Each structure stands twice: as structure tokens, then as C-alpha cells.
Amino acid sequence: MNQPENRKAISWLILLITAVFLLYGFFYQREWLEPLFLLSWLSLIYLVILKVLVQVAHGIRLNFQTQIFDLKLEVGEWLGLSSVTTVLNIITPAKLGVLSRAYYLKSRHQLSYHSYLKLLLIGNFTYVAINALVAVLGLMIYRESLLQIYQD
């Protein structure tokens, strides 16, 4: 078996294992899914669309940040890196998604780990700055409502 066939086989194996765990959870651990059944279909569709848009936004941010280091990521790369990083950060301890992204950028685009740390710092600073801006705007918009809540 050559390397592309190995990768395809590993991808199918991971998909199969994921499907087995999902089916197990659906049929034997239904209490895990009870909060999901409380949502209407419209709310669920809205949440899925919102999550997809957030992933695309994270991917676009990653693409802009990698352009600082003269890396040209294709749409599939920046969107895939964003999604894989998110999933691995959720299901593994110690943010292994971040490490996998570093390894990918090093092996595929020869981005040094030192430059990746700079990229990570830029990304985290951008993330904090955007969240702070949204928080300040939210407080400015809903200031009267918040004051009323705390006065009661």
C-alpha cells in the first residue's frame, strides 16, 4: 500500500470509528442527547449555520495571519485547518489541535515553529481584541438594561 492509499484508509477508519461512537451515544446514551431534543428544528438549523459561519470566520482569520509570513493557503487548507484545530482542541487534552496545525504548516509550508508561535500570538491577541471590542459595544448598547438589572 502506498502513502495516498494509507491516508485514505486512515481517513475512512477515523470516519467509521466516529460513526460508531455517535451511534452508540444515540442508541445507548440517550440522556446525553436530551437537551438536543428540546430544540426546535429551526433553532437547530440556525445553530448549525451559525457554527459554520464561525468556522469560516476563523479560517479567514487564519488565512490573513499566514499571509504575514508569505504563506498562500488555499480555501481547503485554511478552512480545513480551522475545522481540524477546533475539533482536536475539543476532543483532546492540552490543545493538540494547535500542535497539529503547527506540524502541518511546518511540514507542508516550511513555517518554522518560532514563526508559528508568532502566528499563535498574533491570533490570540486578535481574538482577545475582537472579543473586547464586542463586549464594549455590547455594554454601550445595553447599558441601561444592565443598570436596571443590578438596581433590582
Side-chain angles (χ1 to χ4, degrees):
M1 230 188 223
N2 61 18
Q3 197 169 8
E5 288 178 5
N6 284 341
R7 287 183 180 174
K8 190 177 277 193
I10 290 171
S11 297
W12 281 107
L13 181 64
I14 291 171
L15 180 65
L16 178 68
I17 291 170
T18 304
V20 166
F21 275 113
L22 287 174
L23 289 172
Y24 172 79
F26 185 74
F27 287 112
Y28 295 106
Q29 303 293 331
R30 286 185 80 76
E31 65 272 3
W32 293 353
L33 300 173
E34 284 177 9
L36 188 63
F37 295 131
L38 297 176
L39 291 174
S40 69
W41 282 102
L42 186 61
S43 296
L44 191 59
I45 291 169
Y46 172 72
L47 289 173
V48 168
I49 290 171
L50 192 60
K51 182 59 183 168
V52 168
L53 290 175
V54 167
Q55 281 303 123
V56 169
H58 283 299
I60 291 170
R61 186 186 73 180
L62 175 65
N63 189 34
F64 286 147
Q65 291 167 351
T66 55
Q67 287 175 2
I68 294 170
F69 299 100
D70 295 325
L71 295 180
K72 305 291 186 227
L73 299 179
E74 296 187 24
V75 175
E77 284 184 305
W78 56 259
L79 189 57
L81 278 174
S82 170
S83 300
V84 168
T85 301
T86 301
V87 169
L88 287 176
N89 283 343
I90 290 170
I91 64 173
T92 60
K95 298 226 178 228
L96 289 180
V98 174
L99 293 175
S100 67
R101 184 171 59 194
Y103 176 75
Y104 177 84
L105 291 173
K106 170 94 172 147
S107 62
R108 179 77 181 227
H109 297 282
Q110 291 74 42
L111 182 70
S112 69
Y113 290 126
H114 182 263
S115 295
Y116 181 74
L117 287 175
K118 289 179 190 176
L119 180 70
L120 201 57
L121 183 64
I122 292 167
N124 288 340
F125 178 75
T126 306
Y127 188 73
V128 168
I130 290 170
N131 283 326
L133 180 65
V134 169
V136 168
L137 289 174
L139 287 173
M140 289 171 55
I141 292 170
Y142 295 108
R143 183 174 57 112
E144 295 300 322
S145 300
L146 290 172
L147 289 174
Q148 210 171 34
I149 290 171
Y150 286 112
Q151 288 176 354
D152 291 340

